[in-house]
Amino acid sequence: MTRRAIISGTGSALPRTCVTNEELAERVDTTDEWIRERTGITMRYIAEHDELTSTLAIDASRRALEAANMQASDIDLIIVATATPDQTFPATATKVQAALGNHGCTAFDVAAVCSGFLYAMQVVDSMIRANSATNALVIGSETFSRILDWEDRTTCVLFGDGAGAVVLSAQDDAGDNTGILACQMHADGRHHDLLYVDGGPSTTKTVGKLRMKGREVFRHAVVNLAEVMRETLAQAGLSLADIDWVVPHQANARILDATARKLGLKAEQVVVTVDKHANTSAASVPLALDTAIRDGRIKRGDILVLEAMGGGFTWGACIVRY
Ligand code: COA
């Protein structure tokens, strides 16, 4: 009997305040035209002081539970993927757990930056297959606006805040090949200095700010993402022709286009939300997934490829039949 992790509900949450490129250009030495042409971004949501990584995660989780028709007490595993936790410890997942009113289930954070949600999906998939979890809440939530250097126009225009959540449930006889079919995660720490935060408790005792060599990141992203998508499809015994939707990490419209072109996928098969949300790091894949499920693009039975690449470098892909 095959035991698989199926998607039983999704949800997402954005901060109240939207900042357009024009509004940003009043504070930063940039233009709407530059941002739009280089990245496809037109606006992003920025958290106010009372909006935290945990509060966005809680809102997204409530919506995902509602979509799954479940109570918080049905959940036995909570994972928050984030690089911007409320505090260094305890894990933001424990704050989410307490707010939802679930007491006692396993709850922890995963840190793999923009690939964090994909890493968390693989952990949940493994735990569900191993009978260590039945209903898991896996969340990507970030407040990157708090670690941006607002004086550095090469990075601060690229990111936004938000959260996405997915309920993954065990299905004991997934004979129809539903749910997570394959996951492949990678990391290469030699590229640590191309995308990182210049602070931390054990180095500077400060939180630090995001630093990035954009050009090099771009180059690695296209190569790594195309490769890991092929590898994951092969693991699932599928081909590129079987894909209905790619739900990519929303870093940059040009990375999405270049990756799709490299694989020969049609632009219409790629879910794009970077124009409205900018790069929300670990939140971007579940946010895009929830958007495309709620607007009716993604339907039950569709084959999805979720993929991401981020600081570390870390990267990975996951094939799911929705
Ligand atoms: N507004 C206006 N001008 C800007 C600017 C901004 N926000 N940021 C940089 N520039 C200027 C630079 O100063 C430079 O000017 P110069 O030629 O006079 O020196 C020029 O634009 C080109 O800068 P460069 O950094 O070479 O641009 P680029 O074509 O590489 O585009 C990125 C920059 C960041 C958009 C691009 O490298 C990229 O998308 N990288 C991937 C980043 C990413 O998605 N990372 C997250 C992965 S998880």
Side-chain angles (χ1 to χ4, degrees):
M1 191 156 61
T2 313
R3 184 173 159 100
R4 281 226 178 86
I6 62 153
I7 295 180
S8 42
T10 64
S12 58
L14 290 162
R16 294 187 294 275
T17 307
C18 165
V19 179
T20 63
N21 290 346
E22 286 90 350
E23 286 165 334
L24 197 59
E26 288 167 18
R27 293 191 264 148
V28 178
D29 179 20
T30 188
T31 61
D32 171 50
E33 196 192 2
W34 192 95
I35 302 173
R36 222 180 259 261
E37 268 177 17
R38 305 279 174 136
T39 71
I41 296 165
T42 65
M43 55 191 252
R44 75 282 295 136
Y45 291 83
I46 302 290
E48 302 281 351
H49 290 297
D50 61 335
E51 293 172 310
L52 310 179
T53 293
S54 64
T55 61
L56 294 170
I58 292 158
D59 289 348
S61 299
R62 290 206 169 108
R63 286 173 195 143
L65 285 169
E66 198 186 340
N69 204 12
M70 278 187 205
Q71 310 292 318
S73 54
D74 297 324
I75 299 294
D76 54 7
L77 170 65
I78 300 175
I79 305 181
V80 174
T82 189
T84 47
D86 285 13
Q87 291 143 276
T88 304
F89 79 84
T92 301
T94 59
K95 288 181 92 171
V96 175
Q97 184 200 43
L100 294 177
N102 175 309
H103 309 299
C105 82
T106 310
F108 60 95
D109 290 358
V110 159
V113 209
C114 299
S115 316
F117 181 80
L118 271 295
Y119 267 66
M121 289 273 283
Q122 190 182 41
V123 172
V124 170
D125 182 43
S126 307
M127 287 181 72
I128 282 182
R129 284 174 189 267
N131 263 311
S132 304
T134 305
N135 291 304
L137 190 52
V138 51
I139 307 154
S141 187
E142 303 278 17
T143 46
F144 257 51
S145 61
R146 306 258 164 65
I147 55 162
L148 294 175
D149 177 353
W150 290 98
E151 305 291 311
D152 175 12
R153 67 177 184 171
T154 67
T155 54
C156 73
V157 302
L158 305 173
F159 296 89
D161 301 331
V166 173
V167 178
L168 288 166
S169 304
Q171 183 163 303
D172 271 324
D173 193 9
D176 58 350
N177 274 343
T178 308
I180 299 181
L181 306 180
C183 286
Q184 289 288 333
M185 300 301 134
H186 295 286
D188 188 345
R190 287 174 301 176
H191 303 298
H192 170 274
D193 293 343
L194 297 181
L195 176 52
Y196 67 104
V197 164
D198 63 3
S202 95
T203 50
T204 57
K205 297 184 262 178
T206 62
V207 172
K209 300 274 186 240
L210 182 144
R211 305 291 170 208
M212 177 170 69
K213 296 202 173 81
R215 281 229 162 158
E216 277 107 309
V217 175
F218 195 114
R219 205 164 39 80
H220 283 278
V222 176
V223 173
N224 289 345
L225 290 172
E227 223 166 74
V228 77
M229 281 163 72
R230 285 186 199 280
E231 182 190 4
T232 315
L233 279 167
Q235 188 198 350
L238 297 173
S239 73
L240 286 161
D242 295 313
I243 298 176
D244 293 299
W245 294 101
V246 180
V247 186
H249 170 48
Q250 307 286 321
N252 182 316
R254 282 162 61 221
I255 294 181
L256 305 190
D257 289 346
T259 311
R261 246 196 335 269
K262 201 171 166 68
L263 291 172
L265 293 165
K266 294 194 221 86
E268 306 86 76
Q269 289 178 276
V270 182
V271 175
V272 180
T273 54
V274 67
D275 53 333
K276 306 246 165 30
H277 301 155
N279 182 346
T280 58
S281 188
S284 92
V285 170
L287 245 172
L289 179 65
D290 184 53
T291 303
I293 287 175
R294 282 178 194 258
D295 69 20
R297 268 179 288 174
I298 294 177
K299 297 189 175 51
R300 286 286 174 193
D302 284 353
I303 298 273
L304 321 178
V305 181
L306 316 184
E307 47 92 330
M309 143 111 187
F313 290 140
T314 55
W315 66 99
C318 218
I319 314 275
V320 184
R321 186 191 292 274
Y322 177 55

